[in-house]
Amino acid sequence: MNRAILGLQWGDEGKGKIVDLLAGDVVVRCQGGCNAGHTVIIGDEKFVLHVIPSGILRPNTTCVIGNGVVLDPFEAIKELTNLEKRGINYVGRLFISGATNLVMPYHKLLDGIQDASRGTTNIDTTKRGIGPCYQDKMVRTLAIDMSDLIDSREGFKRLRQKLAANREDKGYKLGFLSADKHIDWDELFAQLKEMSAFFTPMVTDVSLLLSEGHKLGKSILYEGAQGTLLDVDFGTRPFVTSSNTTIGGVLTGAGVGLNCIDEVIGVVKAYETRVGNGPFPTELTDSIGVLLRKNGDEFGATTGRPRRCGWLDLVLLKYACWINRVTKLAFTKIDVLDELDSIQVCTGYKLDGTFIAEVPVDITRLSDCTPVYATFLGWSGKTHGALKLGDMPAEALAYIDFVCRFVGVSPLLVSTGSERDAVVMF
Ligand code: IMP
């Protein structure tokens, strides 16, 4: 079975645990970079993976980083070294596309400067250099990719030339003095040259590797990062990330075709969260919002920022299911709602005095939408730690059933706690 696992909200849906649970022979990251923070809890140990596929925690799983990812080589080495220290072997199990673009220190610098200069449209990015790296990719001549890093011919001439082009471009964007003050270009060249040998055995033709895997009948899982509402085309623009976080990003970010994916699993948290700026119609700024943040430990895995919390928005969820043609839903963090006396879900909006059941055509108008809610009674028992359907309170199952019927997608599983095995399968 070949699956894509995609977030259906603004990221942080708990995809890491679902990927870990369903990982088969191969796990592939296709887009995004160190802006992601995929958390997996195994026994007493917590792993937070930013750019290495979550499948690395399963010893027999091969991990792949596709061309659509923007990879910070400094952070990747750190992440792999840490994993190794914790007994996770990655040698011979991790492959990276030669076309994967590299996040450089100047991208991070630019990310901060660009975001600060945006005024009211300040996105509050993760400052991991994601946007500026994708900008270079679209410029085409400036991006440094894995193939540049490992091409040692003529004393790494190609890498040197690309860095020189970037020194000029970033010098222009940052101001020459500041670019040279913050970036030691000779030192950067030396560091990159040195890491070339580390990455060389990992670089491969990812599309070919996956195509051969498909032919051999391997089970391949495509691990989405961020969420549908952060997609650069379909998200709540301009408050989005710089990649396609939706199903199209899987295909172009790994070099596979439509027939390579049998099942599209959408991961949905039982309530809504968002980190960073942008519209959020069901946001709760009252004590319930505070309780969701506390009980759900809603603090960014990458930046530590407190996440904004609110009720589940079914208008947005239906939209996300449609965009990705989701075939099954994986619910997470249902147990965070265990303490509540009543639970609301948004089933439509009021916009300019009129009821609407869909996302406005002009998605920026989401900030003018007032949610219309359906109310559910809280559950009589706890979902926390439930392992089978019979352990789940009837009210929680009714809540899930309502959501599934509303969006027209059936459930695959519900995660009932942070532990690896706290899962109920449908
Ligand atoms: P960037 O991806 O760092 O450019 O950030 C753009 C927006 O996406 C900001 O609002 C970030 O908070 C948000 N964002 C990026 N990655 C994630 C993620 O993995 N989880 C949640 N929000 C994210």
Side-chain angles (χ1 to χ4, degrees), residues 10-13 15 32-38 111 115 118 122-132 134 225-227 230 238-243 273-278 300-303 305 307:
W10 282 289
D12 308 318
E13 296 91 354
K15 296 177 290 295
C34 280
N35 47 351
H38 294 170
D111 200 356
D115 212 29
R118 286 188 178 115
N122 162 264
I123 297 170
D124 197 12
T125 71
T126 59
K127 316 290 182 290
R128 296 299 187 268
I130 307 298
Y134 280 119
Q226 291 79 52
L230 289 171
F239 302 98
V240 293
T241 190
S242 308
S243 64
T273 62
R274 169 160 214 174
V275 59
N277 293 331
T302 298
T303 58
R305 292 176 293 176
R307 296 178 187 142

Side-chain angles (χ1 to χ4, degrees), residues 50-77:
H50 296 287
V51 73
I52 305 303
S54 305
I56 205 79
L57 303 173
R58 297 269 178 195
N60 297 321
T61 297
T62 297
C63 291
V64 176
I65 295 180
N67 55 282
V69 170
V70 285
L71 182 128
D72 182 331
F74 296 91
E75 291 299 324
I77 290 177

